[in-house]
Amino acid sequence: INEHALDRDCTTLSRHVLQQFPSFTPEAQDISAIMSRLALAGKLIARRLSRAGLMDNALGFTGEVNVQGESVKKMDIYANDVFISVFKQSGLVCRLASEEMEKLYYIPENCPIGRYTLLYDPIDGSSNVDINLNVGSIFSIRQQVGNDLDGTAQDLLQTGGREQIAAGYILYGPSTVLVYSIGNGVHSFILDPSLGEFILAEENIKVPNRGAVYSMNEGNFWQWDRSIRDYIRYVHRHEGYTARYSGALVGDFHRILLQGGVFIYPGTLKKPEGKLRLLYETAPLGFLIEQAGGWASTGEQAILDVIPDKLHARTPLIIGSTEDVKLVESFIQELAREQ
Ligand code: P6P
């Protein structure tokens, strides 16, 4: 028998999580169980995405607009409800905050026990769903502090992203990949549909110190601050850069995590805070990239140091290889010095 192959096939996500803890503590069991629930959500969403085009009522828009002012797709709602459903039965997660929900969703029967909060973007990049291009789910696990009796989740607005217990994403692409970190490196798993298990693919992923890819929507060029426009002119003039942008953050991030480079979603004159949301997009990815030896900043400060003023707070995002992020920041700092 090929021991290595057999051993790898038996390294399921839950076993891998437990191995990250020095001992089999209640917290280790909780986090392992939470990760297994997230994997179940990923499997349910991947299954529906693979058949969405063949089913009635799976693609297209619901006709509603979400708290972000974005039109809601049927897949957004399905995926949002999948996360609620898998955590309702878990007895672990007490609160869920989602891009698709104005307010937090409380699971009261879990509250005395769980004390964990799930922050998630159920389908990120959902404009890609109807054209069969990759989309992703992004998640972040926080420890609830206090009882949150008034239901305003003030504890989430008092600390930055370094308080995250776990962060990661599920990328629904040609294969379904789950990438996570609980603060002990970044690890990827590939869904084996024949087993219905996420199997270990790569451990301790390290982002290259620099890369060729710059990923941003240059259609917004004239809305950007001059420092970002100067960066783009520099990149256009210099050899060795290539543009890749899919319109879905998770896929663009995954490429940079594996190959290096930088993803930039800057603020604009109209929206200086940018488009992407801190608690369930930029902070979880910021956690991953720092664990992978890269960097994530708003242009002014590290993403993980930002303390949100509201649940759906947004931040600009410059994330990827440390050298590439620092180059973008140097244009911002240079302009600030001139002004
Ligand atoms: P734009 C998708 O709506 C999303 O939130 C991210 O997944 C993606 O990176 C970004 O917005 C795309 O925004 O303005 O370039 O279409």
Side-chain angles (χ1 to χ4, degrees), residues 70 99 121 124-127 217 220 245 247-250 252 263 265 275-277 281:
E70 293 167 349
E99 185 200 45
D121 183 358
D124 180 79
S126 54
S127 58
N217 183 343
N220 298 329
Y245 194 74
L249 173 59
V250 172
D252 289 332
F263 175 95
Y265 205 100
K275 171 182 183 182
L276 301 175
R277 277 64 53 151
E281 286 177 325

Side-chain angles (χ1 to χ4, degrees), residues 9 20 34 92 94 97 118 132 156 169 236 242 252 259 268 293:
D9 278 356
Q20 313 250 322
I34 286 173
L92 288 166
C94 172
L118 170 67
N132 195 34
L156 289 177
Y169 55 83
H236 287 168
T242 188
D252 289 332
Q259 298 176 349
T268 60

Side-chain angles (χ1 to χ4, degrees), residues 26-194:
E27 191 208 7
Q29 294 173 69
D30 283 353
I31 303 304
S32 177
I34 286 173
M35 290 306 301
S36 295
R37 289 280 158 183
L38 288 165
L40 175 59
K43 290 183 233 178
L44 287 163
I45 294 167
R47 183 178 66 174
R48 189 171 178 100
L49 281 168
S50 68
R51 298 195 304 219
L54 301 170
M55 298 163 71
D56 295 338
N57 209 22
L59 291 177
F61 293 90
T62 60
E64 279 131 48
V65 171
N66 68 9
V67 63
Q68 323 293 345
E70 293 167 349
S71 51
V72 177
K73 300 185 80 86
K74 292 170 189 157
M75 198 66 214
D76 288 319
I77 298 303
Y78 173 80
N80 189 66
D81 295 351
V82 160
F83 282 92
I84 293 172
S85 168
V86 301
F87 279 102
K88 258 185 176 161
Q89 308 144 14
S90 72
L92 288 166
V93 166
C94 172
R95 296 178 305 189
L96 294 91
S98 157
E99 185 200 45
E100 295 302 326
M101 299 188 292
E102 166 85 28
K103 301 235 177 301
L104 284 132
Y105 187 100
Y106 286 82
I107 307 175
E109 47 280 1
N110 288 357
C111 281
I113 310 160
R115 287 283 183 276
Y116 293 99
T117 300
L118 170 67
L119 308 160
Y120 66 113
D121 183 358
I123 292 283
D124 180 79
S126 54
S127 58
N128 279 1
V129 168
D130 293 3
I131 53 168
N132 195 34
L133 289 183
N134 65 273
V135 290
S137 302
I138 309 175
F139 57 83
S140 168
I141 300 290
R142 304 287 288 264
Q143 186 92 41
Q144 176 173 322
V145 177
N147 286 320
D148 187 14
L149 293 176
D150 63 1
T152 59
Q154 288 307 313
D155 59 305
L156 289 177
L157 310 182
Q158 279 143 18
T159 56
R162 296 188 195 286
E163 299 299 310
Q164 293 176 92
I165 292 179
Y169 55 83
I170 301 153
L171 173 58
Y172 310 101
S175 65
T176 298
V177 175
L178 184 148
V179 175
Y180 88 99
S181 176
I182 54 174
N184 189 11
V186 177
H187 317 291
S188 69
F189 287 73
I190 297 174
L191 177 62
D192 180 338
S194 67

